[in-house]
Amino acid sequence: MRGRELFRLAKPLLVGFGAVLAVLPRAAVGLLLTLSRFAPTQLGIALRWTLVRRLAKRCGDTVAIHDGVYLFRLENAELGANVSVHPMCYLDATGGLVIGNDVSIAHGVSILTTEHDYTQPGFMIRDAPVKPAPVTIGDDVWIGAGARILAGVTIGAHAVVGAGAVVTRDVPARTVVAGVPARPLTVAKAVPLSVATLPAPRVMR
């Protein structure tokens, strides 16, 4: 049975558990999320969904947070439906993070939403002020293993980010990018008919 079918069957129970979590302080729920980080199997995924749903600004159905994922400042995060975040990912929503529907984030991906303002005089670089810069990921996006999404980036719908890529600039819709820094390779082919009329992807220089 697929995860979505299991979720549909278990959702009433999970929502009931979520109602119990609603009376707990956010700090307590955040501690539970930390303690459940390495909980295995579908039970661990179900538990983390209820906790993330309580903590995030928005969280859709069938959001699978696998074991070993590090999540920070979820009050600034919006997650769509049918999202999978695979093991050993690092998602920091301090500066604002929006993830659309049907997004797959492979293992070992980092998404950052802040950066140090190292141009400021009078500071050691490590002590420089932190600048927030939100990250937005559109619908139907695949982010390959070990990719790095840096602060301020927008990834358009139906895009693919290759394994190990470092994304420093916006990725147009329907574009496959790879490399360090990430650059366009080709147009993503498997897209719904509803986007067939979108303009051709822009080439990043």
Side-chain angles (χ1 to χ4, degrees):
M1 184 178 295
R2 293 193 64 189
R4 296 182 189 182
E5 296 169 341
L6 287 172
F7 177 86
R8 179 176 55 81
L9 294 175
K11 185 178 178 181
L13 180 61
L14 298 178
V15 170
F17 179 55
V20 175
L21 293 175
V23 304
L24 295 179
R26 287 185 59 88
V29 179
L31 177 60
L32 289 174
L33 181 60
T34 299
L35 293 175
S36 69
R37 179 175 293 145
F38 293 98
T41 72
Q42 299 288 348
L43 289 176
I45 290 174
L47 174 59
R48 284 185 289 272
W49 178 79
T50 60
L51 297 168
V52 169
R53 184 170 178 261
R54 166 69 172 84
L55 294 170
K57 183 184 297 185
R58 178 174 61 87
C59 179
D61 288 350
T62 327
V63 173
I65 307 296
H66 290 260
D67 50 297
V69 173
Y70 287 75
L71 302 169
F72 297 95
R73 301 298 299 271
L74 283 172
E75 67 271 18
N76 300 322
E78 300 182 49
L79 310 177
N82 305 322
V83 173
S84 59
V85 183
H86 290 267
M88 302 313 298
C89 289
Y90 179 100
L91 277 62
D92 183 354
T94 299
L97 175 60
V98 176
I99 298 175
N101 300 319
D102 302 299
V103 172
S104 179
I105 301 175
H107 62 276
V109 168
S110 295
I111 301 177
L112 308 178
T113 61
T114 62
E115 59 184 6
H116 285 280
D117 187 0
Y118 55 82
T119 64
Q120 291 292 324
F123 292 95
M124 298 288 288
I125 291 178
R126 67 178 184 181
D127 298 326
V130 172
K131 299 188 301 183
V135 167
T136 300
I137 299 171
D139 295 341
D140 186 29
V141 169
W142 174 24
I143 300 177
R148 304 290 183 258
I149 313 300
L150 301 190
V153 164
T154 295
I155 299 176
H158 317 295
V160 176
V161 176
V166 177
V167 182
T168 61
R169 302 178 63 180
D170 291 354
V171 177
R174 300 187 297 130
T175 303
V176 179
V177 300
V180 181
R183 295 190 178 278
L185 298 181
T186 185
V187 175
K189 297 179 180 178
V191 297
L193 292 176
S194 60
V195 300
T197 58
L198 288 177
R202 295 180 293 104
V203 175
M204 293 184 291
R205 301 185 182 279

